[in-house]
């Protein structure tokens, strides 16, 4: 599926009935791995390691399973009024109803990733080592769902699959024949087509630094820092997450500027232009007439001209940008320290056995985890580019904060009075009806202005997925423990744990829809180690 013309002859069939498989088998899934380790000095103090491997992902069942809802397997209907008694569902397929479909690229391939790394480890002292690593990954043939027949709110008469067969005044010009239906062949009209492909790509690069001190004099620790950058064309094809589950645009409606506020097309009412969706065939007829300068076009002529001149199929690579889960910086630290009290220690080395049982053998452990935030992706809240799918990113028209990082105020920052509010707040509950913009300000340091971008077709003009960032996380946990000898080989372990020692709030994701009153605000906290608040825990454990 790559041109509007190809969809004009698109049909749904039960492929197994005709001996056709849903997609061609992939027999070249060869997954080699190679690695090496080399002692550079021959003394075991400097070691170079590296490796490369190819790894294949599994194909989720729903990639194939959702096709079972297509005609001719099912005969979908819409129930209106009355008590359902089983008789309202059609027994056969309609000869003229519009059916949606989930289809599979016949050239579907198994997704795979190439992982590679190069590491050098150096002994700094007898008990301390420093490790530098480059770690990377390249993903290919990743799953993506495209909408080559436009989205759900697009007028059927102007869809690439229907433009020579659907007329709002005449209905379906060439209804499905009884012979085709008897053989399980479902021709147009067709609605939204979810086209499952494997043409997604991704790449990941990171620099990792680890300083490790082995247990010595009762102390061991490790500090690990990672700088990383992940980019892709789609971050989560299944659930979407912070990114859209489908690409921003793989089929462009070049009439979008004529169907948006500020249009020069007088035949389209201002009310229609300002609507959140614009699925009226009459509006598309008027827009085509304005674009061609021909006010006499009928529906059939306008639909043909639209698909031949105003439909552009865009490669998935146009959506390439920072991954929705991308984290640039991460620091993790851990330490274990045997407190210097009791026999053989710096303090109380000569105490008797009873006293030593109480003051000796105490250990303190501590971990600190902190990282920068993931991309804050702002969605316009409407079908801005008129492709029938409401997943358009907003346009950033200006921001006064140089780094444009969405942050949260906490008691650790300048304004404790706003501890539970997001830094960027949008007091206006609706987008400005004239400018289609919303300005969010932190009240003291900067502002960001977002625009819905009505009529903007090119997704690369919209907000880059890495321009704005959510707040990062910070977590400090600690534990004090000691083993008390009870009898022979049995012991009693006492531990006191403190989670989130500083009671630092780690905010959940912010509202990302521009039209929402909760936009730019977080209404929840992230649970780190199963908690979002400071918690103390005491435990006794008898071991025998």
């Amino acid at each position: 599926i790559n041109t509007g013309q190809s969809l004009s002859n698109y049909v749904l069939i039960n492929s197994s009935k005709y001996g056709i498989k849903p997609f061609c088998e992939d027999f070249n899934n060869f997954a080699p791995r190679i690695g090496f380790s080399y002692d550079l000095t021959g003394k075991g103090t400097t070691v170079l390691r590296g490796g490369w491997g190819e790894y294949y992902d599994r194909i989720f069942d729903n990639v194939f399973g959702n096709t079972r809802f297509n005609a001719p397997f099912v005969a979908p209907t819409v129930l209106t009024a009355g008590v359902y008694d089983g008789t309202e569902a059609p027994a056969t397929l309609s000869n003229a109803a519009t059916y949606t479909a989930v289809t599979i690229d016949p050239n579907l391939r198994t997704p795979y990733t190439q992982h590679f790394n190069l590491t050098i480890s150096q002994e700094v002292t007898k008990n301390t080592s420093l490790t530098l690593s480059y770690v990377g990954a390249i993903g290919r043939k990743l799953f993506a769902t495209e909408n080559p027949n436009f989205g759900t709110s697009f007028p059927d008469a102007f869809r690439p699959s229907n433009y020579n067969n659907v007329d709002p005044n005449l209905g379906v010009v060439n209804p499905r024949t009884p012979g085709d239906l008897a053989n399980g062949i479902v021709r147009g009209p067709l609605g939204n087509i979810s086209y499952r492909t494997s043409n997604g790509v991704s790449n990941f690069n990171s620099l990792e630094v680890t300083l490790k001190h082995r247990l010595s004099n009762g102390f061991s620790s490790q500090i690990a820092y990672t700088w990383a950058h992940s980019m892709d064309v789609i971050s989560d094809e299944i659930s979407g997450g912070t990114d859209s589950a489908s690409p921003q645009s793989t089929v462009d409606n070049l009439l979008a500027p004529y169907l948006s506020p500020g249009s020069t097309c007088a035949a389209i009412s201002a009310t229609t232009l300002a609507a959140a969706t614009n699925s009226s065939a009459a509006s598309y007829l008027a827009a085509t007439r304005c674009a061609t300068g021909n006010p006499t076009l009928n529906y059939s002529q306008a639909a043909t001209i639209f698909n031949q001149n105003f439909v552009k199929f865009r490669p998935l690579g146009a959506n390439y940008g920072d991954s929705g889960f991308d984290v640039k910086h991460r620091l993790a630290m851990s330490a274990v320290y045997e407190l210097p009290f009791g026999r053989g220690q710096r303090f109380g080395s000569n105490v008797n056995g009873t006293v030593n049982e109480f003051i000796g053998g105490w250990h303190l452990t501590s971990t600190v985890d902190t990282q920068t935030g993931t991309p804050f992706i702002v969605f316009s809240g409407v079908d801005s580019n008129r492709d029938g799918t409401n997943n358009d990113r907003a346009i950033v028209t200006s921001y006064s904060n140089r780094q444009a990082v969405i942050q949260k105020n906490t008691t650790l920052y300048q304004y404790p009075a706003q501890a539970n509010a997001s830094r960027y707040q949008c007091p206006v509950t609706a987008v400005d009806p004239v400018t289609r913009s919303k300005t969010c300000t932190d009240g003291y340091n900067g502002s960001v202005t977002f625009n819905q971008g009505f009529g903007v077709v090119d997704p690369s003009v919209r907000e880059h997925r890495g321009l704005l960032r959510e707040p990062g996380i910070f977590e400090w946990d600690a534990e004090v423990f000691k083993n008390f000898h009870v009898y022979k080989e049995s012991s009693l372990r006492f531990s006191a744990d403190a989670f989130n020692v500083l009671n630092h709030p780690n905010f959940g994701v912010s509202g990302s829809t521009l039209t929402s009153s909760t936009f730019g605000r977080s209404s929840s906290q992230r649970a780190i180690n199963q908690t979002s608040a400071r918690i103390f825990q005491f435990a006794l454990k008898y071991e025998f």
Side-chain angles (χ1 to χ4, degrees):
I1 298 177
N2 55 16
T3 66
Q5 186 63 35
S6 68
L7 286 181
S8 64
N9 295 313
Y10 202 72
V11 299
L12 303 177
I13 63 171
N14 181 352
S15 59
S16 61
K17 182 176 181 180
Y18 296 92
I20 303 173
K21 296 182 178 180
F23 67 97
C24 302
E25 290 93 340
D26 194 3
F27 292 119
N28 62 348
N29 293 348
F30 179 59
R33 290 91 187 267
I34 187 173
F36 71 90
S37 179
Y38 180 56
D39 185 353
L40 294 178
T41 62
K43 299 178 181 179
T45 58
T46 307
V47 179
L48 182 67
R49 301 180 181 90
W52 172 89
E54 191 160 284
Y55 302 83
Y56 284 86
D57 198 356
R58 70 185 180 95
I59 299 178
F60 286 96
D61 293 340
N62 70 349
V63 172
F64 313 112
N66 286 345
T67 61
R68 70 186 184 277
F69 299 113
N70 294 344
F73 303 110
V74 297
T77 188
V78 176
L79 303 181
T80 53
V83 178
Y84 176 66
D85 59 4
T87 62
E88 293 186 38
T92 59
L93 292 173
S94 166
N95 71 336
T98 300
Y99 292 126
T100 61
V102 176
T103 62
I104 302 172
D105 183 351
N107 296 312
L108 193 73
R109 291 293 178 264
T110 306
Y112 69 90
T113 306
Q114 297 181 50
H115 293 261
F116 40 87
N117 66 85
L118 184 65
T119 300
I120 184 167
S121 299
Q122 174 65 49
E123 181 182 83
V124 180
T125 66
K126 180 180 179 180
N127 297 303
T128 306
S129 63
L130 177 66
T131 300
L132 301 176
S133 302
Y134 165 72
V135 179
I138 298 175
R140 293 294 182 267
K141 306 298 182 184
L142 306 180
F143 283 129
T145 300
E146 300 181 6
N147 297 298
N149 209 32
F150 290 107
T152 55
S153 62
F154 203 83
D156 289 336
F158 284 80
R159 294 184 185 273
S161 66
N162 305 336
Y163 68 86
N164 58 355
N165 194 36
V166 177
D167 188 303
N169 292 329
L170 304 176
V172 177
V173 178
N174 297 299
R176 303 178 183 104
T177 65
D180 281 346
L181 294 177
N183 288 295
I185 300 174
V186 181
R187 303 187 185 276
L190 299 175
N192 173 250
I193 298 175
S194 296
Y195 185 56
R196 312 301 292 271
T197 71
S198 56
N199 57 358
V201 298
S202 70
N203 71 76
F204 171 82
N205 295 278
S206 70
L207 173 65
E208 303 176 5
V209 182
T210 303
L211 182 64
K212 186 175 183 180
H213 179 74
R214 294 181 296 180
L215 184 63
S216 174
N217 297 321
F219 178 75
S220 66
S221 65
Q222 179 171 308
I223 301 175
Y225 166 76
T226 300
W227 173 89
H229 193 194
S230 177
M231 303 184 73
D232 55 41
V233 295
I234 186 168
S235 296
D236 190 347
E237 191 272 341
I238 298 298
S239 62
T242 57
D243 192 11
S244 175
S246 59
Q248 287 290 299
S249 178
T250 51
V251 55
D252 291 341
N253 172 11
L254 302 185
L255 285 184
Y258 291 90
L259 295 160
S260 301
S263 171
T264 58
C265 188
I268 305 178
S269 69
T271 302
T272 299
L273 293 174
T277 58
N278 197 318
S279 57
S280 166
S283 296
Y284 278 77
L285 172 63
T288 307
R289 288 173 172 175
C290 288
T292 59
N294 185 350
T296 64
L297 294 175
N298 59 33
Y299 276 107
S300 178
Q301 294 169 332
T304 299
I305 292 174
F306 169 73
N307 277 276
Q308 292 179 350
N309 298 277
F310 297 99
V311 174
K312 177 183 177 181
F313 287 80
R314 183 182 298 275
L316 191 60
N319 201 44
Y320 187 72
D322 288 7
S323 300
F325 50 80
D326 178 50
V327 173
K328 290 291 182 65
H329 304 279
R330 176 172 174 80
L331 178 67
M333 299 180 288
S334 63
V336 179
Y337 181 49
E338 183 180 0
L339 300 180
F341 302 101
R343 289 182 176 179
Q345 299 295 334
R346 181 182 306 172
F347 305 102
S349 60
N350 297 320
V351 299
N352 60 43
T354 301
V355 175
N356 182 70
E357 191 64 29
F358 284 94
I359 69 170
W362 288 93
H363 291 76
L364 173 65
T365 68
S366 179
T367 60
V368 174
D369 291 288
T370 181
Q371 68 181 42
T372 54
T374 55
F376 177 65
I377 303 172
V378 180
F379 294 96
S380 70
V382 293
D383 182 14
S384 298
N385 64 349
R386 307 303 195 190
D387 66 349
T389 302
N390 184 4
N391 69 338
D392 306 294
R393 295 192 301 269
I395 292 176
V396 177
T397 59
S398 67
Y399 56 87
S400 55
N401 184 341
R402 188 171 184 179
Q403 294 183 345
V405 178
I406 300 294
Q407 299 177 350
K408 300 293 188 296
N409 288 315
T410 73
T411 54
L412 300 178
Y413 292 101
Q414 293 184 23
Y415 291 82
Q418 299 178 357
N420 296 320
S422 61
R423 174 175 172 182
Y424 283 98
Q425 301 178 63
C426 298
V428 182
T429 58
V431 176
D432 185 289
V434 177
T435 65
R436 316 302 301 184
S437 299
K438 178 180 282 190
T439 298
C440 306
T441 178
D442 61 9
Y444 63 92
N445 190 44
S447 62
V448 182
T449 300
F450 304 90
N451 188 281
Q452 289 181 294
F454 270 116
V456 176
V457 176
D458 187 354
S460 65
V461 178
R462 298 186 176 273
E463 180 203 350
H464 188 278
R465 287 188 285 166
L467 177 64
L468 305 176
R469 293 273 166 170
E470 290 279 0
I473 63 173
F474 178 87
E475 181 81 356
W476 177 23
D477 301 330
E479 179 188 37
V480 176
F481 70 90
K482 173 180 168 54
N483 290 322
F484 294 90
H485 179 258
V486 178
Y487 176 73
K488 292 185 177 181
E489 297 178 353
S490 63
S491 63
L492 183 68
R493 178 187 172 95
F494 167 80
S495 63
D497 302 284
F499 300 97
N500 195 0
V501 175
L502 298 180
N503 202 27
H504 178 82
N506 293 297
F507 287 89
V509 296
S510 307
S512 58
T513 303
L514 196 60
T515 53
S516 171
S517 61
T518 62
F519 171 71
R521 301 186 181 190
S522 174
S523 59
S524 63
Q525 293 190 53
R526 294 181 60 176
I528 311 297
N529 295 329
Q530 306 302 314
T531 180
S532 58
R534 181 194 293 125
I535 290 181
F536 293 103
Q537 172 181 284
F538 301 91
L540 287 174
K541 182 179 181 182
Y542 182 62
E543 298 177 335
F544 59 93

